[in-house]
DNA sequence: ATAATATATGCATAAATAGGTATATAGTGA
DNA sequence: TCACTATATACCTATTTATGCATATATTAT
C-alpha cells in the first residue's frame, strides 16, 4: 500500500525537520565526527546533541561506531544533502518570485 | 547567518513530514485540484484536509485560487517532487543495504 | 579498584501538533 | 432575502516533541 510509503517518507522528513539536526548534518558533510567535536561547534548542551543524533540514527540517516571512549557518527547516504540542497534552492526560488511580484507592482 | 537558513529549511521539511500531506502532494502531482476533489480521494474529514492544505500553503509549497465556491490548490515548485522522490530512493537504498547485510550473514 | 572522560538516558515540563466535532464564512442561485 | 454548497476556523483534548538538569553507562588510564 502507498500509505506505508508515505508514512516512511514522512518519518525521514520529520527527522531532518529541525534546525539543530540540519546543522549537525552540515557538520558531517565533509566526513564523520564524534559527539565531542559536534556539540562544541554548536551552542547546545551535550545531552541535547546526543538525542538529536539518535533521532537521525533511528531514521536511518546516520550510523555510528565506537572508537575508544568516543562515538563517531557518519552519514549513511549522501543523497540527504541533495534533499537539503533542493530545499535551499526552493527557498531561493520563493525569494525570487516574491521579488518579481514586487517589481511588477512597484516597478 | 546560517541558522536562519536551517530554520527555513526545517520549516519546509516539517511541512512535508506528514503522511497525509505527502498524499495530498501526490494528488496534486498531475495538476491543480479543489478541496472537494482532494478529500473524497482520501479517507479523511474535510476540515482536516483544509488544515493540512493550509500547512503546505503557509510553508510556501502550495498556492490557491478561488473559482466560485471552490478553492483550487496547486504546487508552487515542482522540485518538491524531486525531494520526495529522493527520499523514496534513499528508503529503497536502506532496504538494499539491509538485504546485502543479511545475505552476507545468511548466505 | 578508582578516577576521569565521553556519551546516553531518565525525569519533569513546556510547547507544538493532530484530529474530531461544531460552527463560521464566502459565494451562488432561487 | 433565504437556502445551499464549499471551505475555513474555533474549541477541546490527546499525543508528540524539545530541552534542561541530573544521573547512568561505558571505556580508558592510574
Amino acid at each position: 500500500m502507498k500509505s506505508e510509503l508515505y508514512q516512511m517518507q514522512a518519518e525521514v522528513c520529520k527527522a531532518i525537520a529541525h534546525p539543530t539536526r540540519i546543522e549537525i548534518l552540515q557538520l558531517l558533510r565533509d566526513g564523520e565526527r564524534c559527539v565531542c567535536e559536534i556539540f562544541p561547534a554548536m551552542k547546545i548542551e551535550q545531552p541535547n546533541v546526543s538525542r538529536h543524533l539518535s533521532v537521525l540514527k533511528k531514521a536511518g540517516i546516520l550510523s555510528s561506531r565506537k572508537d575508544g571512549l568516543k562515538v563517531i557518527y557518519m552519514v549513511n547516504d549522501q543523497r540527504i544533502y541533495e534533499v537539503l540542497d533542493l530545499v535551499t534552492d526552493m527557498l531561493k526560488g520563493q525569494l525570487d518570485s516574491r521579488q518579481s511580484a514586487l517589481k511588477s507592482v512597484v516597478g
Side-chain angles (χ1 to χ4, degrees), chain A:
Chain A
M1 214 45 190
K2 284 283 181 186
S3 67
E4 311 276 332
L5 172 61
Y6 300 152
Q7 182 65 46
M8 295 171 81
Q9 287 177 300
E11 264 151 40
V12 171
C13 293
K14 208 186 304 180
I16 59 175
H18 193 288
T20 299
R21 293 196 287 270
I22 293 176
E23 187 172 358
I24 289 173
L25 287 170
Q26 296 305 342
L27 283 171
L28 294 173
R29 194 151 192 154
D30 34 53
E32 56 184 39
R33 292 275 182 278
C34 68
V35 181
C36 60
E37 291 171 312
I38 295 171
F39 89 85
M42 330 173 36
K43 37 184 177 184
I44 199 176
E45 304 296 319
Q46 173 271 320
N48 202 0
V49 167
S50 275
R51 270 185 291 238
H52 283 299
L53 285 166
S54 91
V55 169
L56 289 166
K57 189 178 173 182
K58 186 147 42 173
I61 295 169
L62 299 185
S63 295
S64 64
R65 74 184 153 77
K66 290 206 79 166
D67 177 27
L69 271 182
K70 301 179 176 179
V71 177
I72 296 169
Y73 283 87
M74 69 222 67
V75 165
N76 283 332
D77 186 334
Q78 293 293 121
R79 281 176 289 192
I80 198 68
Y81 295 115
E82 294 181 43
V83 169
L84 290 173
D85 291 348
L86 263 169
V87 171
T88 304
D89 290 346
M90 289 177 60
L91 287 166
K92 283 185 198 158
Q94 286 183 16
L95 286 183
D96 289 349
S97 33
R98 282 196 193 197
Q99 197 168 33
S100 15
L102 186 64
K103 261 190 188 163
S104 77
V105 175
V106 178

